[in-house]
Amino acid sequence: MSLLEAKSLETALERGKAQRLTFDHLSYTHLRDDVGQVPKGSVILDDGTVIPGYPSIARIQALDPGIGKQFEGPFWAEEKMDGFNVRIFQHEGQCYALSRGGFICPFATDRLNDLLKPAIFDDYPHLILCAEIVGPGNPYLEGHSPQVQEDVDLFVFDMMVCNEEGFLPQAERMALVEDYGLQPAEIFGRYQPEELNELAELILQLDEEGKEGLVLKPENQKQRAKYVTGRSNIYDISVTGEALLDLPPEYFTNRFLRMGLFMAEHGQQHDHDRLNELGHAMMQGLFRAVQESQKNGRVSNHYRCRFNHRDNADRFMEHIELTGGQRVKVHRGMPRQEGDYWVLEFERIHQRMTGKINQALQGGRQFD
């Protein structure tokens, strides 16, 4: 155990910073907090193998002067995708997908055979693929990236190695992606800090295409940054309007702030079409909430995902019911077999929006 000594792990378990979990026949320890130099979200297998957690990436709100402050030399610009972040590893011939928080995900693990050629692990058994699962069949997110219009797909954006810190160098990762036929998040090229005009043109192009934004990675793979498009903020607001009262206020205010900074930097302050988009996004979510309350008596988001194996669908149902409590309503007769897949349909109910709107529609009094 090169990154984490056994004694440190036992201490972390005693202090509640780690917990032992099982998935099918695999036992593992999940770090709920940083332990020494090993970040939270890391996983330690029973043989001592450490799957490092994926680090948070800081956001810059303005290309100028943000790029100059964050990067001294060249960096790569890659597409930031809106999906579910997983780390994929192989253990005893079986591939598993870890969530960002460090839990083996029944859904992502189940669908790996559909989404990934595992041959790379035969030659590199200690490799970890960092990827985004994208599409409307994702059971974790409202909305999805425009690249995937049905079910889900997988895009690799980083690689790590078990028991080691950091990422594989860009050139090595790109070579492995090509050699093993993996699908990468799009790489737009290598930029210098002074190439702000070229980078601005790229981000405006992504903005027009409805893409989420960029992850900027320097050659040394440290001090990364992300920068999102203006429309990604509008889209986030549009798909979460039903949860206006159930999400933290900062979820919306942060996106309004990012939108304002983006429009100011790119000369869009007087773009009335863009401002109309923003207002429309917010109100359409509220209109949907009212309509659903009138129809079903509750406000919720609906999900539909597919599994290859019923036992993984059952595991996922147990997980969301355990973690979601009364907020999750699994539809009757689930999971249901359709062709080669087991389909699971469920809702995440927005309790505060449900109560507030139902009371209003029933003529109740409310004090501001």
Side-chain angles (χ1 to χ4, degrees):
M1 190 180 295
S2 56
L3 289 180
L4 187 63
E5 297 300 325
K7 185 176 180 181
S8 298
L9 183 58
E10 289 303 318
T11 301
L13 286 164
E14 292 170 4
R15 294 179 178 177
K17 290 188 171 186
Q19 63 181 142
R20 296 196 191 278
L21 301 169
T22 59
F23 179 90
D24 198 7
H25 302 296
L26 178 68
S27 298
Y28 65 100
T29 302
H30 152 252
L31 295 194
R32 305 171 67 178
D33 203 348
D34 296 349
V35 178
Q37 298 300 310
V38 183
K40 67 178 182 180
S42 298
V43 158
I44 297 90
L45 306 183
D46 282 354
D47 65 2
T49 299
V50 178
I51 315 295
Y54 193 87
S56 296
I57 299 176
R59 184 187 306 278
I60 58 173
Q61 304 279 26
L63 287 178
D64 185 13
I67 294 295
K69 282 198 168 184
Q70 300 302 322
F71 302 110
E72 296 179 352
F75 56 88
W76 293 87
E78 299 182 10
E79 182 173 358
K80 182 182 187 301
M81 307 191 76
D82 187 13
F84 178 56
N85 180 309
V86 294
R87 282 161 289 148
I88 302 162
F89 68 97
Q90 188 179 75
H91 181 68
E92 296 182 349
Q94 172 67 44
C95 288
Y96 299 92
L98 288 170
S99 70
R100 183 73 176 265
F103 299 93
I104 293 179
C105 171
F107 170 74
T109 298
D110 179 276
R111 296 301 305 277
L112 286 178
N113 285 339
D114 298 335
L115 304 175
L116 181 70
K117 297 176 182 177
I120 191 169
F121 293 110
D122 296 335
D123 296 331
Y124 299 92
H126 299 296
L127 193 67
I128 303 164
L129 302 182
C130 305
E132 203 82 2
I133 294 181
V134 176
N138 185 327
Y140 296 101
L141 300 179
E142 298 81 26
H144 57 89
S145 290
Q147 296 96 320
V148 183
Q149 293 299 316
E150 61 180 58
D151 199 20
V152 291
D153 209 344
L154 183 144
F155 299 84
V156 175
F157 57 81
D158 268 322
M159 295 181 185
M160 300 190 291
V161 177
C162 296
N163 301 317
E164 296 183 15
E165 297 179 83
F167 301 99
L168 289 191
Q170 185 84 358
E172 187 175 349
R173 172 170 65 91
M174 292 166 66
L176 288 172
V177 163
E178 184 173 352
D179 289 346
Y180 289 90
L182 303 176
Q183 180 169 232
E186 186 169 359
I187 301 172
F188 297 106
R190 185 172 176 270
Y191 290 81
Q192 297 288 344
E194 58 270 18
E195 294 181 290
L196 286 175
N197 289 339
E198 292 85 347
L199 207 57
E201 288 177 8
L202 172 60
I203 201 71
L204 288 173
Q205 175 188 333
L206 296 178
D207 187 58
E208 286 299 316
E209 295 172 356
K211 306 289 183 64
E212 187 177 7
L214 294 171
V215 178
L216 309 173
K217 301 178 179 180
E219 296 282 9
N220 63 11
Q221 296 293 303
K222 295 181 179 179
Q223 197 70 18
R224 297 173 166 195
K226 56 188 176 184
Y227 180 77
V228 300
T229 64
R231 271 203 173 85
S232 71
N233 298 299
I234 295 177
Y235 184 71
D236 286 349
I237 291 168
S238 74
V239 298
T240 53
E242 294 98 327
L244 180 64
L245 298 179
D246 292 82
L247 288 172
E250 292 80 11
Y251 179 90
F252 295 96
T253 55
N254 284 341
R255 282 159 177 78
F256 281 121
L257 176 60
R258 291 176 207 159
M259 187 69 198
L261 289 168
F262 184 92
M263 292 181 69
E265 180 170 24
H266 297 286
Q268 299 175 346
Q269 301 96 313
H270 306 295
D271 186 338
H272 296 292
D273 290 338
R274 181 61 62 94
L275 294 172
N276 286 336
E277 280 183 54
L278 183 57
H280 186 269
M282 174 61 79
M283 294 312 299
Q284 282 302 109
L286 296 176
F287 293 151
R288 289 195 304 268
V290 171
Q291 290 167 357
E292 185 160 5
S293 181
Q294 291 171 326
K295 180 181 178 181
N296 300 318
R298 60 183 179 272
V299 180
S300 61
N301 285 106
H302 298 252
Y303 301 83
R304 184 181 190 274
C305 51
R306 304 196 299 180
F307 294 79
N308 286 296
H309 304 287
R310 173 163 187 158
D311 55 351
N312 284 327
D314 291 337
R315 287 188 186 102
F316 185 79
M317 282 181 12
E318 292 172 6
H319 171 71
I320 60 172
E321 289 176 333
L322 180 66
T323 58
Q326 296 181 346
R327 293 180 57 249
V328 173
K329 177 179 175 62
V330 177
H331 292 188
R332 251 183 219 179
M334 294 292 133
R336 177 181 67 248
Q337 191 164 18
E338 291 185 7
D340 295 331
Y341 289 97
W342 289 91
V343 172
L344 177 63
E345 296 180 355
F346 64 98
E347 303 171 43
R348 285 194 175 94
I349 300 169
H350 306 304
Q351 293 173 311
R352 292 189 65 194
M353 284 291 282
T354 293
K356 193 82 167 179
I357 291 179
N358 282 354
Q359 185 187 26
L361 293 177
Q362 293 166 12
R365 296 189 304 162
Q366 298 177 356
F367 294 92
D368 296 325

